[in-house]
Amino acid sequence: DQQVKQNSPSLSVQEGRISILNCDYTNSMFDYFLWYKKYPAEGPTFLISISSIKDKNEDGRFTVFLNKSAKHLSLHIVPSQPGDSAVYFCAASGLRGGSNYKLTFGKGTLLTVNP
Amino acid sequence: NAGVTQTPKFRILKIGQSMTLQCTQDMNHNYMYWYRQDPGMGLKLIYYSVGAGITDKGEVPNGYNVSRSTTEDFPLRLELAAPSQTSVYFCASSRRQGESPLHFGNGTRLTVT
């Protein structure tokens, strides 16, 4: 029973274009969302987050959008660079109810940015 | 700064053997976690700790044990290794609960044959 779903296992884009990675969640108690980036043989590294009081958060080339009614979030990378090629994990947690330190992860999307 | 350090990087175990995966962090974080990642899957929480002396089970704790005697160290013990425990194990820490990202180590790749 996946509570966080990344339905696209892989995505390929051209350098300079926009990359859009999608994530859906089913648990209405989730109110804090994060994106992690993972290179081979390394641990995941934090990229960007958003809390449910916002619908957009931007950090340089990375923007996360949250649509609470649709239980959907997306990560936009503009412009995409070859160094962005990695696996991207969506994660979610609930800040209420005492379980706020437990993240639930999606399966990840492998992004390949072609030069 | 080292961040979260995991040892060993790789290990092969025979069925029934035991081992300890080491994890240490130098950021003075109270919260520490162990995750496993199976091929094509997301990370699943094995155990976590909210401070020295306090640990609790995550989503997939069976076959594992942890201890937290210091703020810095959070070792994961595998007793009686089984092929189902073949995975990549990640240790992580965070400064506080709530809106505080996890910092991950580089993982231990474990194969049980």
Side-chain angles (χ1 to χ4, degrees):
Chain A
D1 177 28
Q2 274 188 273
Q3 298 188 65
V4 177
K5 300 178 185 179
Q6 294 177 256
N7 292 320
S8 298
S10 62
L11 174 68
S12 182
V13 300
Q14 286 299 120
E15 181 178 5
R17 308 293 283 267
I18 184 171
S19 296
I20 300 177
L21 295 95
N22 293 303
C23 178
D24 297 293
Y25 62 96
T26 59
N27 189 336
S28 58
M29 296 299 290
F30 287 152
D31 53 12
Y32 180 55
F33 306 90
L34 309 90
W35 285 93
Y36 283 84
K37 175 178 172 179
K38 184 183 179 305
Y39 293 118
E42 294 184 10
T45 55
F46 170 70
L47 194 56
I48 192 169
S49 64
I50 188 168
S51 70
S52 60
I53 61 172
K54 295 183 177 181
D55 54 17
K56 176 182 175 181
N57 189 27
E58 198 169 350
D59 183 1
R61 296 186 297 113
F62 303 91
T63 303
V64 57
F65 295 92
L66 176 62
N67 183 334
K68 290 185 290 294
S69 61
K71 293 192 175 68
H72 177 84
L73 63 155
S74 60
L75 174 68
H76 292 210
I77 306 174
V78 185
S80 301
Q81 299 173 355
D84 296 330
S85 298
V87 176
Y88 289 78
F89 290 100
C90 173
S93 69
L95 295 182
R96 299 180 295 270
S99 64
N100 49 17
Y101 34 77
K102 298 180 193 174
L103 286 181
T104 300
F105 284 83
K107 292 184 178 182
T109 297
L110 173 63
L111 172 66
T112 303
V113 180
N114 301 301
Chain B
N1 54 359
V4 178
T5 302
Q6 291 183 238
T7 56
K9 287 185 170 53
F10 305 95
R11 183 72 186 268
I12 298 174
L13 283 182
K14 293 190 187 307
I15 294 171
Q17 287 185 321
S18 301
M19 77 164 293
T20 299
L21 282 66
Q22 301 292 344
C23 175
T24 187
Q25 52 95 4
D26 62 1
M27 297 174 283
N28 202 32
H29 286 171
N30 281 327
Y31 299 88
M32 296 188 74
Y33 317 81
W34 274 104
Y35 285 87
R36 60 176 285 173
Q37 185 191 11
D38 299 327
M41 303 295 287
L43 285 78
K44 293 189 184 297
L45 182 64
I46 305 171
Y47 270 95
Y48 64 94
S49 169
V50 301
I54 307 170
T55 63
D56 205 349
K57 296 177 181 178
E59 189 181 353
V60 289
N62 291 344
Y64 307 95
N65 275 301
V66 293
S67 59
R68 184 95 183 272
S69 56
T70 66
T71 299
E72 295 77 20
D73 300 307
F74 191 39
L76 177 71
R77 178 84 178 159
L78 279 72
E79 306 281 2
L80 299 175
S84 61
Q85 293 178 305
T86 294
S87 190
V88 181
Y89 291 84
F90 291 102
C91 178
S93 71
S94 65
R95 187 158 53 95
R96 61 179 189 273
Q97 59 187 353
E99 297 186 3
S100 180
L102 272 60
H103 298 259
F104 284 86
N106 283 334
T108 294
R109 183 175 294 275
L110 176 67
T111 302
V112 182
T113 62

